[in-house]
Amino acid sequence: MNKPITLADVARRAGTSTAVVSYVINDGPRPVAAATRERVLAAAAELGYRPNRIARALRSRTTGVVGLILANALNPYFGALAEHVEQALAEHDRLMLIGNAGYSAERQRHLVERFLAAQVDALVIVSADADDDVARHAERAGVPAVYLHNGPVAGRAPVVAADNEHAVREAVAHLRAHGHHDLAFLAGPDDAGPVGLRRRTWQDSAAPGAVALRSTYSRADADALTRRLIAGGAMPRALITATDEQAVGVLAGACAAGLAVPADLAVISLDGTPGSAHTAPALTVTRQPVAAMARQAVGLLFGQAAPAPAPRATLITRRSCGCDPR
Amino acid sequence: MNKPITLADVARRAGTSTAVVSYVINDGPRPVAAATRERVLAAAAELGYRPNRIARALRSRTTGVVGLILANALNPYFGALAEHVEQALAEHDRLMLIGNAGYSAERQRHLVERFLAAQVDALVIVSADADDDVARHAERAGVPAVYLHNGPVAGRAPVVAADNEHAVREAVAHLRAHGHHDLAFLAGPDDAGPVGLRRRTWQDSAAPGAVALRSTYSRADADALTRRLIAGGAMPRALITATDEQAVGVLAGACAAGLAVPADLAVISLDGTPGSAHTAPALTVTRQPVAAMARQAVGLLFGQAAPAPAPRATLITRRSCGCDPR
DNA sequence: CTGAAAGCGCTTACAG
DNA sequence: CTGAAAGCGCTTACAG
């Protein structure tokens, strides 16, 4: 509660001006004599000086804070993305403000406004709605923005996404190698974003005539759908799920209905979150390169990375496709 | 990129002073004549004025930002907590800075310093290490802090936790009602924090002589432990797991080793995250009142809630204990 | 009810 | 290499 030490306090103690103290603390932009620098550093240390970032932000128009907007914070795939964004940001000595859109375009817009009002230096958007180019608001305010995983294709802001087609082709090839010819696909509620791309790739490469199964991205919905399909005798023998959350729901539904995975149903999921290694049975997945994606997005924000080729997922074979690691 | 509108711009346009504009924008602290207020509001709207929060923060020494430190952001239980904290904060019109300690006391200390330097108005700490009373640093800086779920018992900052003993007793009673006498317990790596309390409650109420099983809070570890126990013929018939992550690992290990849940092994977990409803088989849990906990913690920060009784978990029976909802 | 002005703690031309 | 000073955009006593 004791009043904080300011630059002026340090300057007084070191017998110099605030300008010089600032130069020492920030290592620039002007040189300082070695002896003076020592005195300043000593004074700062003795006083326990900590710069007031708010004052610095007001003056230099940069807060050191980046906003992350998440389509849905409770989905572990997005959680993993957030985690890697935080790490990449920490390496740039930036703090992360987080907001959860909960799959709502309106909440997403609201968050963008709030974050801009908070004077974030930049925005990373894992969009809840690829049709709504919210990055425009940031652009208008002169704040750089980048979409991660999902964003409007026609917008001005860059979109960092994985090579979704590649992942699907890996899954298709692997299931075929297991001898499956009819490959079903559990898509999202609509064909927006990366999941739409995954659905279309499956269609083109594996099942031109088939119609995709659909559910929301919640475990509950995929679980319920699975039970319904099994009850109606309409469950396919081999299934690719667009996301891990859906795969987990499928496993739950199959278990509840007494259907054996992989004996009666082979499953491959396309996210590959860490949790997929410990389902019952363990999920075969294409593991999306979330760390690389996060790093690329943050790099773009700090002008360090040129637009790079989309990172590719790796196929991780486990039990659910019919492989048996034992 | 066009230069932002300031208070002064609005004042000029409305033909008044910046003081009056400020009074209008903030609805106080001085009254303003209705006519003047109208002019100001009109000018602000026409200009598209948005207050600069940084300047406001420097002057009023309050940023509208609260820091949340998470023991481990990738654990869905903590994720759910974070989600509810964000919601409670949004209701108070506060933004949330988030940091992940990754179970490291050192990273946690570092985050506290970073957040204090960023001038957060308050701190919510889901502590990675109950022995390290990091809230003291905040207190010294005059920043209110509250621990959530886990924190030092002897510290000055309040700790908001659920009634852990109650949850354990519910689980014990339910397993007994299923006819189980020997109840094993999967605890954490040590007895710190809420999990320690859960372990001791199990010990006292169900198995005074027994020794608890232990693993870290990762699915991988609980999975591996389970396989080892099964391979060694040492798997108990009824198990309470301290956390959902461990329960999920147990289910995965049991499935991999061909052990049937609940026929050969009954399981109850003590977190009750949303995901527990869709495991294979579905987990019976005591659902911790995370929303109430988050709300209580945030309430304490804003001086709205007196220390309240610890919220209690509810038992949700599903398949893994031997109940069959069908 | 309103206005002129100080000041929050920094950064950065500018002058020396 | 260093210092005196302006100014970032607000809020808030203070005087009227």
Side-chain angles (χ1 to χ4, degrees):
Chain A
M1 210 58 257
N2 26 34
K3 86 170 13 180
I5 311 299
T6 71
L7 252 200
D9 296 327
V10 177
R12 204 169 308 119
R13 173 125 182 177
T16 181
S17 69
T18 60
V20 167
V21 175
S22 171
Y23 298 151
V24 171
I25 299 295
N26 299 310
D27 242 333
R30 304 254 166 279
V32 174
T36 317
R37 140 174 264 103
E38 287 316 316
R39 263 186 302 133
V40 169
L41 257 17
E46 284 160 28
L47 260 22
Y49 171 67
R50 283 199 308 208
N52 180 328
R53 299 221 168 213
I54 298 298
R56 174 181 292 171
L58 177 58
R59 197 38 237 248
S60 63
R61 312 187 137 310
T62 156
T63 54
V65 173
V66 171
L68 170 69
I69 292 170
L70 236 37
N72 177 21
L74 288 179
N75 182 319
Y77 176 75
F78 295 132
L81 233 25
E83 191 35 35
H84 286 108
V85 169
E86 193 205 335
Q87 274 170 31
L89 250 20
E91 283 165 26
H92 289 268
D93 204 34
R94 297 302 198 286
L95 256 21
M96 184 176 90
L97 221 37
I98 197 169
N100 175 23
Y103 289 132
S104 149
E106 189 196 328
R107 266 192 63 70
Q108 173 163 303
R109 271 193 303 276
H110 176 73
L111 284 167
V112 169
E113 293 304 328
R114 281 288 316 214
F115 283 2
L116 290 177
Q119 254 78 35
V120 293
D121 290 343
L123 235 34
V124 177
I125 306 169
V126 180
S127 187
D129 181 356
D131 291 334
D132 189 5
D133 187 5
V134 285
R136 275 179 300 115
H137 302 210
E139 193 194 344
R140 223 175 288 135
V143 173
V146 55
Y147 288 104
L148 180 56
H149 174 73
N150 184 23
V153 270
R156 297 257 301 261
V159 182
V160 173
D163 184 343
N164 285 290
E165 290 98 324
H166 172 76
V168 175
R169 282 192 297 261
E170 291 278 296
V172 166
H174 188 72
L175 248 16
R176 285 211 169 120
H178 271 294
H180 294 287
H181 295 313
D182 290 346
L183 305 185
F185 190 88
L186 176 50
D190 57 50
D191 267 353
V195 167
L197 186 51
R198 294 177 187 180
R199 202 277 301 158
R200 288 189 294 276
T201 307
W202 157 79
Q203 196 94 66
D204 296 346
S205 69
V211 11
L213 301 170
R214 293 191 181 272
S215 78
T216 71
Y217 304 119
S218 77
R219 300 180 184 192
D221 271 15
D223 185 337
L225 171 67
T226 303
R227 296 183 201 218
R228 249 183 289 125
L229 289 171
I230 294 172
M235 195 67 201
R237 303 294 305 264
L239 175 68
I240 297 172
T241 61
T243 66
D244 279 14
E245 287 298 281
Q246 291 169 302
V248 167
V250 167
L251 258 27
C255 173
L259 193 80
V261 176
D264 300 327
L265 169 67
V267 180
I268 295 188
S269 178
L270 297 177
D271 282 338
T273 55
S276 66
H278 305 286
T279 49
L283 275 168
T284 290
V285 297
T286 55
R287 180 159 61 205
Q288 298 293 336
V290 283
M293 291 164 66
R295 194 159 300 279
Q296 209 172 97
V298 170
L300 243 29
L301 246 22
F302 294 100
Q304 295 198 168
R312 294 188 148 190
T314 335
L315 179 77
I316 312 281
T317 59
R318 290 193 282 239
R319 188 89 177 289
S320 70
C321 62
C323 287
D324 195 341
R326 203 127 333 98
Chain B
M1 210 59 261
N2 28 33
K3 87 170 12 181
I5 313 299
T6 70
L7 252 201
D9 296 328
V10 178
R12 204 169 306 121
R13 173 125 182 178
T16 181
S17 69
T18 59
V20 168
V21 176
S22 171
Y23 298 152
V24 172
I25 300 295
N26 299 309
D27 242 332
R30 305 252 166 282
V32 174
T36 317
R37 139 174 265 102
E38 287 317 314
R39 264 188 300 131
V40 169
L41 257 16
E46 284 162 28
L47 260 23
Y49 171 68
R50 283 198 308 208
N52 181 328
R53 298 223 169 210
I54 297 298
R56 174 180 292 173
L58 178 60
R59 195 41 236 247
S60 63
R61 312 189 138 308
T62 157
T63 53
V65 173
V66 171
L68 171 68
I69 292 172
L70 237 37
N72 177 22
L74 289 178
N75 182 319
Y77 176 75
F78 295 132
L81 234 24
E83 191 35 36
H84 286 107
V85 169
E86 192 204 334
Q87 274 171 30
L89 250 19
E91 284 165 25
H92 290 268
D93 203 34
R94 298 301 199 284
L95 255 21
M96 183 175 91
L97 220 39
I98 196 169
N100 175 22
Y103 289 132
S104 149
E106 188 195 327
R107 265 191 64 69
Q108 173 162 303
R109 271 193 303 276
H110 176 73
L111 283 167
V112 169
E113 293 303 329
R114 283 287 316 211
F115 283 3
L116 290 177
Q119 253 77 35
V120 293
D121 290 344
L123 234 34
V124 178
I125 305 169
V126 180
S127 185
D129 181 357
D131 291 334
D132 190 6
D133 187 4
V134 285
R136 275 178 300 116
H137 303 210
E139 193 195 344
R140 223 174 289 136
V143 173
V146 54
Y147 288 103
L148 180 57
H149 174 71
N150 185 22
V153 269
R156 299 258 300 261
V159 182
V160 174
D163 184 342
N164 286 290
E165 289 98 325
H166 172 75
V168 174
R169 282 191 297 260
E170 291 279 295
V172 166
H174 188 72
L175 247 15
R176 285 215 170 117
H178 272 292
H180 294 287
H181 296 312
D182 290 345
L183 306 185
F185 190 88
L186 176 51
D190 57 49
D191 268 353
V195 167
L197 186 51
R198 294 176 188 182
R199 202 276 302 157
R200 286 189 296 275
T201 307
W202 157 77
Q203 196 94 64
D204 296 347
S205 68
V211 9
L213 301 171
R214 292 191 181 272
S215 79
T216 71
Y217 304 119
S218 77
R219 299 179 184 193
D221 270 16
D223 186 337
L225 170 67
T226 302
R227 296 184 201 216
R228 249 182 290 126
L229 288 171
I230 294 172
M235 195 67 201
R237 303 296 306 264
L239 175 68
I240 298 172
T241 62
T243 67
D244 278 14
E245 288 298 280
Q246 291 169 302
V248 167
V250 167
L251 257 28
C255 173
L259 193 80
V261 176
D264 300 327
L265 169 68
V267 180
I268 296 188
S269 177
L270 297 177
D271 282 339
T273 56
S276 66
H278 305 285
T279 49
L283 275 169
T284 290
V285 297
T286 55
R287 181 159 59 205
Q288 297 293 335
V290 283
M293 291 163 65
R295 194 160 300 282
Q296 211 172 95
V298 170
L300 244 27
L301 246 22
F302 293 101
Q304 293 197 172
R312 293 188 150 190
T314 335
L315 180 77
I316 312 281
T317 60
R318 291 193 282 240
R319 188 88 177 291
S320 71
C321 62
C323 287
D324 195 343
R326 201 128 337 93

